[in-house]
Amino acid sequence: GTSPQRPGPSVQHEAGRLAAELGALTMPVAAVKRIGRSVAPEAAFSSEAIAALHRIGQAFVCYATDRVIHEMQAESDRAGAKRRGKNAPLPKKTMGSEHVLHMLSDEFPAMANKLSTLFSDVVPQEYRPEPVRLLEQLRAQELPERDGSAEVPGGESASAGRGLKKRRSETDEAAVKKLAKTARHAA
């Protein structure tokens, strides 16, 4: 019987080099543990499980970055085709949260929805959950009423109005958090 052929030294060297490069791109292991435990606080994680989650995290960041760059290039190509002979602005070259969420929405819609719900304060407007957008619209409509420049009903001074404005803002923030929590449980 013949033994299976092994890759030559150059292939083994290249595989080792790539593994070392990926190994150099590390996330803090403590962060991986913290994320895992926050998702499953009752579970115990072996060191092998943490190492596997760590590698999955590295691979996903590499994959997501590659997909976002591909999407940005396609956006640039589309804009270049439209731009010929026109004074249209060039597309952004800086990767932003809108690029990442667009990629996630296309390739992992459930994940994009969950992230939008959990982190509605940092995602672009179009990706925020509907209850959060409605509350933001309500807040924007109430904003002219709370500018603090006029007297507050009941004869209070403008400075008292600013205190009231701060309390309303804190109440609104609590309402946004409560809505986001409700949306998380519904998702």
Side-chain angles (χ1 to χ4, degrees):
T2 61
S3 63
Q5 285 190 320
R6 292 181 163 214
S10 64
V11 173
Q12 289 176 338
H13 176 71
E14 182 66 16
R17 187 186 64 77
L18 290 173
E21 284 180 14
L22 185 58
L25 304 172
T26 64
M27 298 182 295
V29 174
V32 174
K33 286 180 184 178
R34 204 169 31 252
I35 292 168
R37 288 188 181 129
S38 72
V39 173
E42 68 285 345
F45 293 89
S46 69
S47 59
E48 292 85 11
I50 295 295
L53 290 172
H54 189 261
R55 286 292 184 181
I56 289 168
Q58 289 174 303
F60 184 75
V61 169
C62 292
Y63 171 79
T65 303
D66 178 67
R67 299 304 310 147
V68 170
I69 289 171
H70 176 73
E71 182 65 34
M72 289 173 65
Q73 184 61 47
E75 181 182 303
S76 178
D77 292 347
R78 286 189 300 271
K82 289 180 181 179
R83 189 175 178 347
R84 290 194 180 102
K86 298 180 182 177
N87 289 332
L90 292 172
K92 286 175 63 175
K93 291 186 178 185
T94 303
M95 187 184 299
S97 61
E98 67 276 6
H99 295 109
V100 175
L101 274 230
H102 185 266
M103 181 277 302
L104 285 174
S105 295
D106 286 350
E107 299 193 23
F108 304 100
M111 185 184 297
N113 185 31
K114 189 75 164 176
L115 287 172
S116 296
T117 301
L118 291 172
F119 305 107
S120 61
D121 55 332
V122 296
V123 298
Q125 177 73 26
E126 67 266 21
Y127 293 103
R128 292 182 185 162
E130 186 65 22
V132 173
R133 285 191 298 217
L134 290 172
L135 190 57
E136 288 171 344
Q137 288 174 353
L138 177 64
R139 187 182 297 158
Q141 290 171 356
E142 291 178 346
L143 195 59
E145 298 171 10
R146 315 188 211 163
D147 66 359
S149 60
E151 275 204 17
V152 177
E156 295 178 18
S157 68
S159 63
R162 282 189 290 276
L164 179 62
K165 183 171 136 179
K166 182 179 179 186
R167 284 191 300 278
R168 280 186 185 163
S169 175
E170 290 168 353
T171 303
D172 286 351
E173 288 176 19
V176 168
K177 287 179 182 176
K178 185 175 182 179
L179 270 173
K181 185 177 182 181
T182 303
R184 264 182 267 163
H185 292 295

